[in-house]
Amino acid sequence: MSGAVRDIVIVGGGLTGASLACALADGTRRILVLEAREGRGPRFAGELIHPTGVDVLDQIGVLPALRRAGGVDLTGFAVSIAGRATTHLPYAEIPDGRPHGFAIEHHDMVAVLRREAAARKGVEIRFGKKVLELVRQGDRVIGVRTDDGEVVRADLTLVAEGRHSLLRQQIRTDESCRLLAYNAALLVDDALLPEGRYGHIVLGAPGPILAYPIGSAGGERHRVRMCFDFPALPEAGRGLARIAAAIRERYLPLVPEPLRTSAAQALDNHKPEVAACHAIATRRCVEPGIALVGEAGGCSHPITAAGMTVCLTDVRILVEELGVDPELDRTLERYQARRYRFARAREVLADALYETFLAGTDGTRAIREGIFSYWEGGRRARSASLALLSGADSRLASFLAEYWRVAGHGIGRSLRGAVTDSDGRPLGRWRGVRGLVEMSLDKLGRVAKQF
């Protein structure tokens, strides 16, 4: 069966889908959001939003409601590794940008966005409606079919199902997918953060640790989310008890106090949530009548915390393009071009930063030494790096320029014998330089494929 033709059908009612509905609602459009789940999603998902994404939330009028729901401003990032002073990367050092990011518990965020969307004129949200396939007329997508047989026709279909999108497989995207690691997320209900309202990145464990506040617990104390990266699960991933034990033994000793003690207590009361981290890349995200938005169009390692900012930037770009040209197919092609210009820099940066933070090779150890040396050189270096990290600067050319500056510092540190191996022994001057050059050439080749 089929009902009235909609202007827009949005598949997925999470962060991206609900934000799309809020942003596209203009009082005249007929918008239907189809969400497969009846209630809360079963897994931990993204919560940290860079200022570029916060700008979008502000523009679509939902930021005040998210603040009332308990979200908190973030100052920037504090990166620490044994033997070095903590490096602070404050958002306020980025010229002409919002001086704060934002974080909120994921399920609270989605609940607020759905309420805000449902209150907009012309928007309807249906829960428990799983979409199975696209409906086509010739080479054009004209709607979707749900698992109960309903056909929903629409002038424009927007797929916002997330990284495991079923519908992405039904259009020509030239998709590639790599398993990168596993992420164990832990909620610490009442903690003092070592560096206040910064996102904390702690290095030196088998994988990087990310911790950030998602709400206030009163005074200086916060609800804190901690994410532990596992390049490989312990003992083939047999059971959460083994993962919790690995966190205690190999990760928590590197976490600064007082967060370390609070995290250990949280492990006594909460099981970590474990999810696989994939890098999913697409070459196309539109066809006539349809567009992939947010992580349905691709995703990268969460170490840069850029996932939700990419989703919200997709929303902004699509809304802007729909307001420029009434010819839908031209609009979608422009959306695609602009989306990839922004997302590609995020993908390349996440890949490079994750390799650097793991420091599993001579080259990545030299680069890691170089990036800390670079950041210690002054405000300009820190602000340029954070501008790339946060999406304030999305140019691949900027990434390349910054990468070679970091590489220069890494070469200098290698020649001075300051780079060490995994056991803390000096790596050797030319061994570090050779590894760094090999890695840099490989990275240059990967970036070249993006053009």
Side-chain angles (χ1 to χ4, degrees), residues 362-425:
D362 294 347
T364 53
R365 282 189 281 272
I367 282 285
R368 189 169 72 178
E369 183 66 27
I371 199 168
F372 277 99
S373 173
Y374 181 55
W375 286 340
E376 290 163 0
R379 174 173 177 156
R380 186 263 161 214
R382 294 189 298 271
S383 66
S385 293
L386 190 55
L388 284 167
L389 180 72
S390 66
D393 186 346
S394 60
R395 297 169 295 178
L396 281 172
S398 296
F399 166 79
L400 286 173
E402 290 305 298
Y403 188 87
W404 288 116
R405 290 187 180 101
V406 169
H409 279 257
I411 290 172
R413 297 290 288 174
S414 295
L415 292 175
R416 289 194 289 274
V419 181
T420 58
D421 64 15
S422 58
D423 295 321
R425 298 187 299 263

Side-chain angles (χ1 to χ4, degrees), residues 14-23 46-63 66 102 104 109 113 293-295 305-320 335 338-339 342 390:
L15 161 76
T16 305
S19 297
L20 273 170
C22 290
E47 296 167 323
L48 196 160
I49 307 171
H50 293 302
T52 308
V54 182
D55 285 341
V56 179
L57 294 174
D58 204 3
Q59 290 163 8
I60 65 178
V62 299
L63 188 56
L66 291 169
F102 187 76
I104 182 173
M109 172 183 59
L113 291 172
V293 189
E295 290 195 330
M308 293 203 298
T309 299
V310 171
C311 293
L312 291 166
T313 301
D314 282 0
V315 171
R316 175 182 59 79
I317 291 171
L318 183 60
V319 171
E320 288 175 356
Y335 158 74
R338 288 182 61 190
R339 185 221 182 246
F342 183 86
S390 66

